[in-house]
PDB file of all heavy atoms in Angstrom:
ATOM      1  N   THR A 399      86.031  11.136 171.497  1.00  0.00           N
ATOM      2  CA  THR A 399      85.696   9.731 171.694  1.00  0.00           C
ATOM      3  C   THR A 399      86.296   8.868 170.586  1.00  0.00           C
ATOM      4  O   THR A 399      86.014   7.669 170.502  1.00  0.00           O
ATOM      5  CB  THR A 399      84.173   9.529 171.717  1.00  0.00           C
ATOM      6  OG1 THR A 399      83.611  10.037 170.503  1.00  0.00           O
ATOM      7  CG2 THR A 399      83.551  10.260 172.897  1.00  0.00           C
ATOM      8  N   THR A 400      87.116   9.478 169.761  1.00  0.00           N
ATOM      9  CA  THR A 400      87.825   8.766 168.688  1.00  0.00           C
ATOM     10  C   THR A 400      89.322   8.819 168.956  1.00  0.00           C
ATOM     11  O   THR A 400      89.872   9.899 169.164  1.00  0.00           O
ATOM     12  CB  THR A 400      87.532   9.401 167.322  1.00  0.00           C
ATOM     13  OG1 THR A 400      86.101   9.393 167.118  1.00  0.00           O
ATOM     14  CG2 THR A 400      88.192   8.638 166.203  1.00  0.00           C
ATOM     15  N   PRO A 401      90.007   7.665 168.978  1.00  0.00           N
ATOM     16  CA  PRO A 401      89.465   6.314 168.810  1.00  0.00           C
ATOM     17  C   PRO A 401      88.653   5.882 170.020  1.00  0.00           C
ATOM     18  O   PRO A 401      88.755   6.472 171.096  1.00  0.00           O
ATOM     19  CB  PRO A 401      90.718   5.466 168.647  1.00  0.00           C
ATOM     20  CG  PRO A 401      91.745   6.179 169.458  1.00  0.00           C
ATOM     21  CD  PRO A 401      91.463   7.641 169.257  1.00  0.00           C
ATOM     22  N   GLN A 402      87.847   4.835 169.839  1.00  0.00           N
ATOM     23  CA  GLN A 402      86.992   4.354 170.911  1.00  0.00           C
ATOM     24  C   GLN A 402      87.738   3.512 171.931  1.00  0.00           C
ATOM     25  O   GLN A 402      87.199   3.190 172.977  1.00  0.00           O
ATOM     26  CB  GLN A 402      85.813   3.565 170.330  1.00  0.00           C
ATOM     27  CG  GLN A 402      84.822   4.446 169.592  1.00  0.00           C
ATOM     28  CD  GLN A 402      83.516   3.735 169.322  1.00  0.00           C
ATOM     29  OE1 GLN A 402      83.448   2.508 169.249  1.00  0.00           O
ATOM     30  NE2 GLN A 402      82.456   4.507 169.170  1.00  0.00           N
ATOM     31  N   LYS A 403      88.960   3.134 171.630  1.00  0.00           N
ATOM     32  CA  LYS A 403      89.792   2.432 172.601  1.00  0.00           C
ATOM     33  C   LYS A 403      91.246   2.780 172.353  1.00  0.00           C
ATOM     34  O   LYS A 403      91.659   2.986 171.210  1.00  0.00           O
ATOM     35  CB  LYS A 403      89.569   0.919 172.537  1.00  0.00           C
ATOM     36  CG  LYS A 403      89.887   0.284 171.214  1.00  0.00           C
ATOM     37  CD  LYS A 403      89.610  -1.219 171.226  1.00  0.00           C
ATOM     38  CE  LYS A 403      88.135  -1.523 171.285  1.00  0.00           C
ATOM     39  NZ  LYS A 403      87.858  -2.986 171.142  1.00  0.00           N
ATOM     40  N   ILE A 404      92.013   2.885 173.428  1.00  0.00           N
ATOM     41  CA  ILE A 404      93.443   3.152 173.357  1.00  0.00           C
ATOM     42  C   ILE A 404      94.130   2.112 174.229  1.00  0.00           C
ATOM     43  O   ILE A 404      93.858   2.021 175.426  1.00  0.00           O
ATOM     44  CB  ILE A 404      93.785   4.571 173.840  1.00  0.00           C
ATOM     45  CG1 ILE A 404      93.105   5.615 172.944  1.00  0.00           C
ATOM     46  CG2 ILE A 404      95.297   4.787 173.854  1.00  0.00           C
ATOM     47  CD1 ILE A 404      93.296   7.043 173.403  1.00  0.00           C
ATOM     48  N   ALA A 405      94.992   1.316 173.621  1.00  0.00           N
ATOM     49  CA  ALA A 405      95.507   0.119 174.287  1.00  0.00           C
ATOM     50  C   ALA A 405      96.845   0.305 174.982  1.00  0.00           C
ATOM     51  O   ALA A 405      97.425  -0.665 175.472  1.00  0.00           O
ATOM     52  CB  ALA A 405      95.600  -1.027 173.285  1.00  0.00           C
ATOM     53  N   THR A 406      97.352   1.529 175.069  1.00  0.00           N
ATOM     54  CA  THR A 406      98.583   1.797 175.810  1.00  0.00           C
ATOM     55  C   THR A 406      98.390   3.055 176.659  1.00  0.00           C
ATOM     56  O   THR A 406      97.601   3.935 176.302  1.00  0.00           O
ATOM     57  CB  THR A 406      99.784   2.008 174.874  1.00  0.00           C
ATOM     58  OG1 THR A 406      99.482   3.087 173.968  1.00  0.00           O
ATOM     59  CG2 THR A 406     100.089   0.753 174.085  1.00  0.00           C
ATOM     60  N   PRO A 407      99.082   3.183 177.793  1.00  0.00           N
ATOM     61  CA  PRO A 407      98.961   4.389 178.609  1.00  0.00           C
ATOM     62  C   PRO A 407      99.250   5.642 177.794  1.00  0.00           C
ATOM     63  O   PRO A 407     100.282   5.740 177.120  1.00  0.00           O
ATOM     64  CB  PRO A 407     100.004   4.170 179.708  1.00  0.00           C
ATOM     65  CG  PRO A 407     100.095   2.685 179.832  1.00  0.00           C
ATOM     66  CD  PRO A 407      99.958   2.175 178.422  1.00  0.00           C
ATOM     67  N   THR A 408      98.311   6.599 177.859  1.00  0.00           N
ATOM     68  CA  THR A 408      98.396   7.837 177.093  1.00  0.00           C
ATOM     69  C   THR A 408      98.186   9.009 178.033  1.00  0.00           C
ATOM     70  O   THR A 408      97.237   9.014 178.829  1.00  0.00           O
ATOM     71  CB  THR A 408      97.328   7.850 175.983  1.00  0.00           C
ATOM     72  OG1 THR A 408      97.520   6.703 175.138  1.00  0.00           O
ATOM     73  CG2 THR A 408      97.423   9.106 175.143  1.00  0.00           C
ATOM     74  N   GLN A 409      99.047   9.995 177.968  1.00  0.00           N
ATOM     75  CA  GLN A 409      98.965  11.109 178.913  1.00  0.00           C
ATOM     76  C   GLN A 409      97.698  11.923 178.699  1.00  0.00           C
ATOM     77  O   GLN A 409      97.288  12.190 177.570  1.00  0.00           O
ATOM     78  CB  GLN A 409     100.202  12.006 178.806  1.00  0.00           C
ATOM     79  CG  GLN A 409     100.265  13.063 179.906  1.00  0.00           C
ATOM     80  CD  GLN A 409     101.587  13.800 179.944  1.00  0.00           C
ATOM     81  OE1 GLN A 409     102.556  13.385 179.326  1.00  0.00           O
ATOM     82  NE2 GLN A 409     101.628  14.890 180.682  1.00  0.00           N
ATOM     83  N   VAL A 410      97.087  12.331 179.804  1.00  0.00           N
ATOM     84  CA  VAL A 410      95.916  13.196 179.786  1.00  0.00           C
ATOM     85  C   VAL A 410      96.382  14.628 179.982  1.00  0.00           C
ATOM     86  O   VAL A 410      96.807  15.010 181.077  1.00  0.00           O
ATOM     87  CB  VAL A 410      94.923  12.803 180.893  1.00  0.00           C
ATOM     88  CG1 VAL A 410      93.701  13.718 180.862  1.00  0.00           C
ATOM     89  CG2 VAL A 410      94.502  11.344 180.759  1.00  0.00           C
ATOM     90  N   GLY A 411      96.343  15.423 178.921  1.00  0.00           N
ATOM     91  CA  GLY A 411      96.809  16.799 179.023  1.00  0.00           C
ATOM     92  C   GLY A 411      98.283  16.892 179.350  1.00  0.00           C
ATOM     93  O   GLY A 411      99.047  15.943 179.137  1.00  0.00           O
ATOM     94  N   PHE A 412      98.673  18.044 179.888  1.00  0.00           N
ATOM     95  CA  PHE A 412     100.085  18.275 180.172  1.00  0.00           C
ATOM     96  C   PHE A 412     100.352  18.692 181.619  1.00  0.00           C
ATOM     97  O   PHE A 412     101.487  18.986 181.989  1.00  0.00           O
ATOM     98  CB  PHE A 412     100.635  19.358 179.230  1.00  0.00           C
ATOM     99  CG  PHE A 412     100.532  18.991 177.778  1.00  0.00           C
ATOM    100  CD1 PHE A 412      99.500  19.481 176.995  1.00  0.00           C
ATOM    101  CD2 PHE A 412     101.443  18.120 177.196  1.00  0.00           C
ATOM    102  CE1 PHE A 412      99.390  19.128 175.657  1.00  0.00           C
ATOM    103  CE2 PHE A 412     101.356  17.761 175.866  1.00  0.00           C
ATOM    104  CZ  PHE A 412     100.318  18.265 175.081  1.00  0.00           C
ATOM    105  N   ASP A 413      99.320  18.707 182.450  1.00  0.00           N
ATOM    106  CA  ASP A 413      99.501  19.126 183.838  1.00  0.00           C
ATOM    107  C   ASP A 413     100.387  18.132 184.593  1.00  0.00           C
ATOM    108  O   ASP A 413     100.387  16.931 184.315  1.00  0.00           O
ATOM    109  CB  ASP A 413      98.157  19.251 184.549  1.00  0.00           C
ATOM    110  CG  ASP A 413      97.335  20.428 184.035  1.00  0.00           C
ATOM    111  OD1 ASP A 413      97.897  21.270 183.303  1.00  0.00           O
ATOM    112  OD2 ASP A 413      96.131  20.502 184.365  1.00  0.00           O
ATOM    113  N   THR A 414     101.111  18.647 185.559  1.00  0.00           N
ATOM    114  CA  THR A 414     102.033  17.814 186.343  1.00  0.00           C
ATOM    115  C   THR A 414     101.744  17.926 187.842  1.00  0.00           C
ATOM    116  O   THR A 414     102.638  17.799 188.672  1.00  0.00           O
ATOM    117  CB  THR A 414     103.483  18.225 186.073  1.00  0.00           C
ATOM    118  OG1 THR A 414     103.652  19.618 186.402  1.00  0.00           O
ATOM    119  CG2 THR A 414     103.853  18.010 184.612  1.00  0.00           C
ATOM    120  N   ASN A 415     100.470  18.171 188.173  1.00  0.00           N
ATOM    121  CA  ASN A 415     100.101  18.342 189.577  1.00  0.00           C
ATOM    122  C   ASN A 415      98.961  17.417 190.004  1.00  0.00           C
ATOM    123  O   ASN A 415      98.219  17.715 190.926  1.00  0.00           O
ATOM    124  CB  ASN A 415      99.739  19.798 189.867  1.00  0.00           C
ATOM    125  CG  ASN A 415      98.615  20.321 188.975  1.00  0.00           C
ATOM    126  OD1 ASN A 415      98.227  19.683 188.000  1.00  0.00           O
ATOM    127  ND2 ASN A 415      98.109  21.505 189.298  1.00  0.00           N
ATOM    128  N   TRP A 416      98.834  16.269 189.337  1.00  0.00           N
ATOM    129  CA  TRP A 416      97.832  15.285 189.725  1.00  0.00           C
ATOM    130  C   TRP A 416      98.374  14.396 190.852  1.00  0.00           C
ATOM    131  O   TRP A 416      99.552  14.059 190.861  1.00  0.00           O
ATOM    132  CB  TRP A 416      97.459  14.408 188.534  1.00  0.00           C
ATOM    133  CG  TRP A 416      96.872  15.153 187.375  1.00  0.00           C
ATOM    134  CD1 TRP A 416      97.497  15.467 186.196  1.00  0.00           C
ATOM    135  CD2 TRP A 416      95.545  15.674 187.268  1.00  0.00           C
ATOM    136  NE1 TRP A 416      96.640  16.142 185.360  1.00  0.00           N
ATOM    137  CE2 TRP A 416      95.434  16.287 186.000  1.00  0.00           C
ATOM    138  CE3 TRP A 416      94.431  15.676 188.126  1.00  0.00           C
ATOM    139  CZ2 TRP A 416      94.259  16.900 185.562  1.00  0.00           C
ATOM    140  CZ3 TRP A 416      93.269  16.291 187.693  1.00  0.00           C
ATOM    141  CH2 TRP A 416      93.186  16.891 186.428  1.00  0.00           C
ATOM    142  N   VAL A 417      97.496  14.021 191.804  1.00  0.00           N
ATOM    143  CA  VAL A 417      97.928  13.160 192.906  1.00  0.00           C
ATOM    144  C   VAL A 417      97.064  11.906 193.072  1.00  0.00           C
ATOM    145  O   VAL A 417      97.495  10.945 193.714  1.00  0.00           O
ATOM    146  CB  VAL A 417      97.953  13.930 194.246  1.00  0.00           C
ATOM    147  CG1 VAL A 417      98.999  15.024 194.214  1.00  0.00           C
ATOM    148  CG2 VAL A 417      96.572  14.506 194.574  1.00  0.00           C
ATOM    149  N   GLU A 418      95.859  11.903 192.499  1.00  0.00           N
ATOM    150  CA  GLU A 418      94.962  10.763 192.681  1.00  0.00           C
ATOM    151  C   GLU A 418      93.994  10.688 191.521  1.00  0.00           C
ATOM    152  O   GLU A 418      93.523  11.712 191.025  1.00  0.00           O
ATOM    153  CB  GLU A 418      94.179  10.908 193.998  1.00  0.00           C
ATOM    154  CG  GLU A 418      93.234   9.756 194.288  1.00  0.00           C
ATOM    155  CD  GLU A 418      92.327  10.024 195.473  1.00  0.00           C
ATOM    156  OE1 GLU A 418      92.221  11.195 195.904  1.00  0.00           O
ATOM    157  OE2 GLU A 418      91.709   9.062 195.965  1.00  0.00           O
ATOM    158  N   ALA A 419      93.690   9.472 191.073  1.00  0.00           N
ATOM    159  CA  ALA A 419      92.716   9.262 190.009  1.00  0.00           C
ATOM    160  C   ALA A 419      91.778   8.137 190.389  1.00  0.00           C
ATOM    161  O   ALA A 419      92.153   7.207 191.112  1.00  0.00           O
ATOM    162  CB  ALA A 419      93.411   8.945 188.692  1.00  0.00           C
ATOM    163  N   ALA A 420      90.533   8.198 189.891  1.00  0.00           N
ATOM    164  CA  ALA A 420      89.539   7.163 190.156  1.00  0.00           C
ATOM    165  C   ALA A 420      88.752   6.906 188.880  1.00  0.00           C
ATOM    166  O   ALA A 420      88.137   7.824 188.328  1.00  0.00           O
ATOM    167  CB  ALA A 420      88.598   7.586 191.285  1.00  0.00           C
ATOM    168  N   ALA A 421      88.774   5.675 188.400  1.00  0.00           N
ATOM    169  CA  ALA A 421      88.086   5.282 187.174  1.00  0.00           C
ATOM    170  C   ALA A 421      86.746   4.644 187.512  1.00  0.00           C
ATOM    171  O   ALA A 421      86.684   3.702 188.303  1.00  0.00           O
ATOM    172  CB  ALA A 421      88.949   4.312 186.372  1.00  0.00           C
ATOM    173  N   GLY A 422      85.669   5.145 186.908  1.00  0.00           N
ATOM    174  CA  GLY A 422      84.342   4.596 187.141  1.00  0.00           C
ATOM    175  C   GLY A 422      83.877   3.745 185.979  1.00  0.00           C
ATOM    176  O   GLY A 422      84.676   3.127 185.275  1.00  0.00           O
ATOM    177  N   GLY A 423      82.555   3.721 185.766  1.00  0.00           N
ATOM    178  CA  GLY A 423      82.013   2.944 184.670  1.00  0.00           C
ATOM    179  C   GLY A 423      82.445   3.505 183.332  1.00  0.00           C
ATOM    180  O   GLY A 423      83.307   2.944 182.663  1.00  0.00           O
ATOM    181  N   GLY A 424      81.888   4.624 182.923  1.00  0.00           N
ATOM    182  CA  GLY A 424      82.305   5.299 181.698  1.00  0.00           C
ATOM    183  C   GLY A 424      82.711   6.726 181.971  1.00  0.00           C
ATOM    184  O   GLY A 424      82.567   7.612 181.142  1.00  0.00           O
ATOM    185  N   PHE A 425      83.238   6.969 183.184  1.00  0.00           N
ATOM    186  CA  PHE A 425      83.663   8.318 183.552  1.00  0.00           C
ATOM    187  C   PHE A 425      84.896   8.235 184.429  1.00  0.00           C
ATOM    188  O   PHE A 425      85.275   7.170 184.912  1.00  0.00           O
ATOM    189  CB  PHE A 425      82.537   9.078 184.266  1.00  0.00           C
ATOM    190  CG  PHE A 425      82.289   8.649 185.693  1.00  0.00           C
ATOM    191  CD1 PHE A 425      82.695   9.451 186.744  1.00  0.00           C
ATOM    192  CD2 PHE A 425      81.637   7.458 185.979  1.00  0.00           C
ATOM    193  CE1 PHE A 425      82.468   9.071 188.066  1.00  0.00           C
ATOM    194  CE2 PHE A 425      81.397   7.073 187.293  1.00  0.00           C
ATOM    195  CZ  PHE A 425      81.807   7.884 188.333  1.00  0.00           C
ATOM    196  N   SER A 426      85.518   9.394 184.635  1.00  0.00           N
ATOM    197  CA  SER A 426      86.776   9.456 185.382  1.00  0.00           C
ATOM    198  C   SER A 426      86.780  10.649 186.324  1.00  0.00           C
ATOM    199  O   SER A 426      86.173  11.684 186.047  1.00  0.00           O
ATOM    200  CB  SER A 426      87.962   9.578 184.415  1.00  0.00           C
ATOM    201  OG  SER A 426      88.001   8.489 183.518  1.00  0.00           O
ATOM    202  N   LEU A 427      87.508  10.493 187.416  1.00  0.00           N
ATOM    203  CA  LEU A 427      87.738  11.566 188.383  1.00  0.00           C
ATOM    204  C   LEU A 427      89.225  11.645 188.665  1.00  0.00           C
ATOM    205  O   LEU A 427      89.932  10.646 188.613  1.00  0.00           O
ATOM    206  CB  LEU A 427      87.007  11.294 189.693  1.00  0.00           C
ATOM    207  CG  LEU A 427      85.497  11.101 189.679  1.00  0.00           C
ATOM    208  CD1 LEU A 427      85.031  10.632 191.060  1.00  0.00           C
ATOM    209  CD2 LEU A 427      84.794  12.383 189.291  1.00  0.00           C
ATOM    210  N   ALA A 428      89.696  12.835 189.001  1.00  0.00           N
ATOM    211  CA  ALA A 428      91.081  12.982 189.430  1.00  0.00           C
ATOM    212  C   ALA A 428      91.202  14.187 190.345  1.00  0.00           C
ATOM    213  O   ALA A 428      90.444  15.152 190.234  1.00  0.00           O
ATOM    214  CB  ALA A 428      92.020  13.109 188.237  1.00  0.00           C
ATOM    215  N   ARG A 429      92.157  14.100 191.261  1.00  0.00           N
ATOM    216  CA  ARG A 429      92.391  15.174 192.231  1.00  0.00           C
ATOM    217  C   ARG A 429      93.787  15.733 192.031  1.00  0.00           C
ATOM    218  O   ARG A 429      94.743  14.982 191.793  1.00  0.00           O
ATOM    219  CB  ARG A 429      92.221  14.639 193.651  1.00  0.00           C
ATOM    220  CG  ARG A 429      92.404  15.682 194.754  1.00  0.00           C
ATOM    221  CD  ARG A 429      91.982  15.099 196.103  1.00  0.00           C
ATOM    222  NE  ARG A 429      92.731  13.911 196.460  1.00  0.00           N
ATOM    223  CZ  ARG A 429      93.894  13.929 197.131  1.00  0.00           C
ATOM    224  NH1 ARG A 429      94.449  15.081 197.486  1.00  0.00           N
ATOM    225  NH2 ARG A 429      94.489  12.791 197.432  1.00  0.00           N
ATOM    226  N   LYS A 430      93.889  17.056 192.127  1.00  0.00           N
ATOM    227  CA  LYS A 430      95.185  17.721 191.991  1.00  0.00           C
ATOM    228  C   LYS A 430      95.779  18.010 193.359  1.00  0.00           C
ATOM    229  O   LYS A 430      95.112  17.898 194.395  1.00  0.00           O
ATOM    230  CB  LYS A 430      95.044  19.018 191.188  1.00  0.00           C
ATOM    231  CG  LYS A 430      94.776  18.785 189.714  1.00  0.00           C
ATOM    232  CD  LYS A 430      94.826  20.080 188.912  1.00  0.00           C
ATOM    233  CE  LYS A 430      94.746  19.812 187.423  1.00  0.00           C
ATOM    234  NZ  LYS A 430      94.841  21.056 186.613  1.00  0.00           N
ATOM    235  N   ILE A 431      97.036  18.418 193.368  1.00  0.00           N
ATOM    236  CA  ILE A 431      97.754  18.672 194.607  1.00  0.00           C
ATOM    237  C   ILE A 431      97.140  19.827 195.385  1.00  0.00           C
ATOM    238  O   ILE A 431      97.303  19.938 196.615  1.00  0.00           O
ATOM    239  CB  ILE A 431      99.258  18.923 194.325  1.00  0.00           C
ATOM    240  CG1 ILE A 431     100.071  18.759 195.602  1.00  0.00           C
ATOM    241  CG2 ILE A 431      99.468  20.282 193.666  1.00  0.00           C
ATOM    242  CD1 ILE A 431     101.572  18.740 195.359  1.00  0.00           C
ATOM    243  N   ASP A 432      96.392  20.708 194.679  1.00  0.00           N
ATOM    244  CA  ASP A 432      95.724  21.821 195.362  1.00  0.00           C
ATOM    245  C   ASP A 432      94.363  21.407 195.917  1.00  0.00           C
ATOM    246  O   ASP A 432      93.577  22.254 196.352  1.00  0.00           O
ATOM    247  CB  ASP A 432      95.569  23.009 194.413  1.00  0.00           C
ATOM    248  CG  ASP A 432      94.710  22.698 193.194  1.00  0.00           C
ATOM    249  OD1 ASP A 432      94.219  21.547 193.074  1.00  0.00           O
ATOM    250  OD2 ASP A 432      94.525  23.599 192.351  1.00  0.00           O
TER     251      ASP A 432
END
């Protein structure tokens, strides 16, 4: 949770099989190609 804000797009991990993401209140969801 540090830093508490990041003001530029930053990669989440290194996987390359994501197809969909959904941002909620203080949580996130994402779906992979599988």
Side-chain angles (χ1 to χ4, degrees):
T399 57
T400 303
Q402 290 194 335
K403 60 181 70 174
I404 298 176
T406 57
T408 302
Q409 188 171 347
V410 180
F412 300 99
D413 290 348
T414 58
N415 57 349
W416 299 104
V417 295
E418 181 189 15
F425 75 106
S426 301
L427 302 171
R429 182 170 58 88
K430 289 188 172 182
I431 198 170
D432 62 0

